């Protein structure tokens, strides 16, 4: 992960379900390079799933991943997507039914 350094930046407090960390949300965190990539979005999605399925302690020792996740899901475009009909919460019933339909499974 890459993280540019900024002298004197203020840290903001962000709440991750079940825990509190102090990420510097003014300093972008990226998986690769210095701008948002598909890898960042996928990792944010994975971190969200891990927290939902396993609890926040699963990412307690990976603060940069938590910061990345917070930064990605806080983007206005991502907020709109998450609220849209195009977003399927990880592992929800509708998602499982759609996957089974697409794959021709009868359950």
């Amino acid at each position: 992960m890459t993280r540019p350094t900024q002298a004197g930046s203020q840290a903001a407090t962000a709440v991750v379900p079940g825990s509190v960390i102090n990420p510097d949300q003014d300093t972008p965190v990226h998986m690769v390079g210095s701008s948002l990539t598909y890898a960042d979005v996928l990792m944010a999605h994975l971190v969200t799933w891990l927290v939902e399925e396993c609890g926040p302690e699963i990412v307690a020792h990976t603060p940069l991943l938590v910061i990345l996740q917070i930064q990605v899901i806080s983007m206005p475009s991502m907020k709109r997507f998450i609220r849209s009909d195009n977003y399927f919460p990880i592992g929800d019933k509708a998602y499982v039914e759609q996957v089974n339909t697409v794959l021709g499974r009868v359950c």
Side-chain angles (χ1 to χ4, degrees), residues 30-106:
H30 301 289
M31 294 297 298
V32 180
S34 61
S35 62
L36 185 71
T37 65
Y38 191 63
D40 298 321
V41 175
L42 287 176
M43 186 56 69
H45 190 65
L46 176 61
V47 171
T48 299
W49 176 78
L50 285 170
V51 170
E52 288 175 0
E53 293 297 318
C54 303
E57 58 279 349
I58 195 82
V59 293
H61 299 290
T62 58
L64 290 179
L65 287 179
V66 174
I67 294 168
L68 172 71
Q69 187 251 6
I70 291 167
Q71 289 177 346
V72 170
I73 67 171
S74 297
M75 297 171 63
S77 58
M78 291 304 291
K79 286 181 180 180
R80 283 191 304 275
F81 171 70
I82 290 169
R83 289 191 307 261
S84 77
D85 291 337
N86 293 324
Y87 177 77
F88 290 92
I90 299 167
D92 73 343
K93 185 177 179 180
Y95 174 78
V96 171
E97 288 173 2
Q98 182 182 20
V99 168
N100 287 332
T101 299
V102 168
L103 296 176
R105 294 180 185 159
V106 178

